[in-house]
Amino acid sequence: MGTGKRGLLMMAVTVVCAVTVLAAPGTAFAAPSPSPTPSASPSSSPTPVSNKELEEVRKKLEKLYHSAAVATDQYNAAEEAAEKQSAEIVSLAKKIVRGQEKLAELKERAGSAAAAQYRLGGLPDEAKLMLSDDPRTFLDGAGRVIQGQRATKGLLAEMTRTQQDLEQYSRDASAQWQKLEAGRKAKAAAQKKIEKQIKAAEQLESQLEKEQLERLKKLEEEAAYKAQTAWLDSGALKDVKGKASEQGRKAVKYAGAQLGKPYEWGAEGPKTYDCSGLTSQAWASAGSGIPRTSQEQWKQLKRIDIKDMRPGDLIIYNDDASHVAMYIGDGAIIHAPRPGRTVTIAGAGSMPILGVVRPDA
């Protein structure tokens, strides 16, 4: 890389520092081969980018992709909420239609009763009974009057309840519409942030030559391998002997069949996935519906100790639960890492573990 292009690269790194922070997951499981050390060059040759400078690039990329992952979770949560709110609005609309039909029927019945009274001259039934000389007729008629009064009161009460229900349905539908609109705005904001972070990362990577991109990937692998080794050396897997449940085996089989498919934020397959799209679809294939996002998976699913985990369990990563992977045994996971990568097998300890959850608990 010439001094001019190197200057562009370092300028890009400096600009990226202003975009978001926090660490992003690594992606590799196997031990990397040593990174090549730049050889000395004549003063007239292009100045090579050092491993130290590439390491700075790697860290900036981690921050960008982590920020994109957080925004992706926000996007997915907004989309899931929108689907529920839309379904609720449809349900409320059906209730309103049924309520309006019921109210129209009740009004028709009330109108028929009023018309019948009019045809009888408007004389109250009580007055007609008072004019009767036959005690039996009087008593029978009195019973019918009481029944009629009760029926009329019941009819009016039912009309009132139906009207109140319609008003409540209308208020509920209005509230759901407001939530839906707020969700659309949140979804649009998350999408904008995702695209901004990914674009910044791509621009940063575009400053690198092919050889430098290869060295950058080696640095990523080295960082993941170092973290995995430290995790294994800590004895984390010493007591892990759990066997997969029947559903767990199905979920692992599904996830394994997706190896090599590209990462795409917001995707749930079958051609592309993001991290929680992969885990949620894997468990859906096993007959167990789980939350769509990694953060909700962490909140809602049963948490278990690492020593008790078994294949099929989900490992949640980072303090903000922004990444999720499926444990497949022997200290390994399957996950969809980040944009520009594919569904792959990695070391379970290659990223900072927040905890473990079990979908089929």
Side-chain angles (χ1 to χ4, degrees):
M1 174 185 288
T3 55
K5 190 154 189 180
R6 179 182 172 178
L8 288 174
L9 170 60
M10 300 318 296
M11 183 182 297
V13 171
T14 303
V15 171
V16 167
C17 290
V19 192
T20 53
V21 294
L22 296 175
T27 58
F29 177 48
S33 56
S35 299
T37 303
S39 56
S41 302
S43 57
S44 59
S45 301
T47 305
V49 176
S50 69
N51 275 7
K52 182 178 179 181
E53 290 167 330
L54 278 178
E55 178 64 14
E56 286 299 310
V57 173
R58 185 188 71 80
K59 290 178 179 178
K60 300 304 179 293
L61 289 172
E62 276 192 348
K63 293 174 183 178
L64 288 169
Y65 283 125
H66 178 273
S67 182
V70 173
T72 297
D73 235 28
Q74 294 168 348
Y75 177 93
N76 291 336
E79 186 173 59
E80 187 176 38
E83 290 176 359
K84 292 179 180 178
Q85 287 154 4
S86 297
E88 182 64 21
I89 289 171
V90 170
S91 176
L92 287 167
K94 290 179 179 178
K95 288 181 179 179
I96 289 173
V97 170
R98 288 195 296 267
Q100 289 173 333
E101 292 174 347
K102 181 178 180 181
L103 188 61
E105 180 187 348
L106 292 171
K107 286 181 177 180
E108 185 178 354
R109 286 167 57 189
S112 298
Q117 184 175 347
Y118 177 79
R119 287 195 300 271
L120 293 173
L123 188 64
D125 290 339
E126 293 90 336
K128 294 178 182 178
L129 290 171
M130 292 298 294
L131 296 175
S132 174
D133 293 330
D134 185 348
R136 178 173 293 180
T137 301
F138 177 85
L139 292 174
D140 290 344
R144 287 195 297 273
V145 168
I146 293 173
Q147 292 174 356
Q149 288 175 337
R150 289 174 178 171
T152 300
K153 288 180 180 178
L155 180 62
L156 293 174
E158 191 172 1
M159 288 176 65
T160 300
R161 285 195 302 271
T162 301
Q163 186 65 48
Q164 291 173 340
D165 287 344
L166 283 170
E167 291 171 357
Q168 185 60 52
Y169 295 154
S170 179
R171 287 193 293 270
D172 291 345
S174 178
Q176 290 297 333
W177 273 113
Q178 291 175 1
K179 289 180 181 179
L180 187 61
E181 183 59 27
R184 285 185 181 134
K185 292 179 180 178
K187 185 177 173 180
Q191 179 174 349
K192 185 176 180 181
K193 185 175 182 180
I194 293 166
E195 292 172 345
K196 179 181 179 181
Q197 305 307 309
I198 293 176
K199 183 177 180 181
E202 290 174 344
Q203 287 178 339
L204 181 54
E205 289 182 294
S206 72
Q207 303 298 319
L208 299 174
E209 301 287 356
K210 181 179 179 181
E211 178 270 337
Q212 292 159 349
L213 286 171
E214 291 174 353
R215 285 168 53 203
L216 178 64
K217 187 174 182 181
K218 289 292 184 183
L219 288 175
E220 291 179 348
E221 292 173 353
E222 286 174 358
Y225 179 72
K226 183 178 179 181
Q228 172 73 355
T229 301
W231 183 67
L232 293 175
D233 289 346
S234 72
L237 287 182
K238 182 178 65 173
D239 298 321
V240 177
K241 300 175 182 177
K243 294 183 178 180
S245 64
E246 182 179 352
Q247 279 190 308
R249 286 193 294 272
K250 290 180 181 178
V252 170
K253 182 179 180 181
Y254 179 95
Q258 314 314 311
L259 288 171
K261 293 185 178 181
Y263 177 102
E264 180 182 5
W265 63 266
E268 300 177 79
K271 295 182 178 180
T272 58
Y273 294 89
D274 63 20
C275 66
S276 56
L278 176 64
T279 54
S280 60
Q281 288 302 305
W283 272 99
S285 74
S288 182
I290 64 173
R292 169 65 177 87
T293 69
S294 58
Q295 292 178 344
E296 288 305 311
Q297 289 170 6
W298 174 241
K299 289 179 183 178
Q300 297 184 36
L301 300 180
K302 182 179 179 179
R303 299 179 187 181
I304 61 171
D305 292 334
I306 288 180
K307 65 180 179 62
D308 297 322
M309 71 179 177
R310 64 193 188 195
D313 288 342
L314 305 182
I315 301 182
I316 309 297
Y317 292 94
N318 305 319
D319 290 341
D320 53 9
S322 57
H323 191 68
V324 61
M326 179 176 292
Y327 183 63
I328 59 175
D330 296 327
I333 55 169
I334 290 178
H335 71 146
R338 67 164 176 81
R341 298 289 186 262
T342 61
V343 176
T344 188
I345 294 175
S350 59
M351 298 168 282
I353 295 175
L354 177 61
V356 182
V357 294
R358 177 163 293 163
D360 59 341

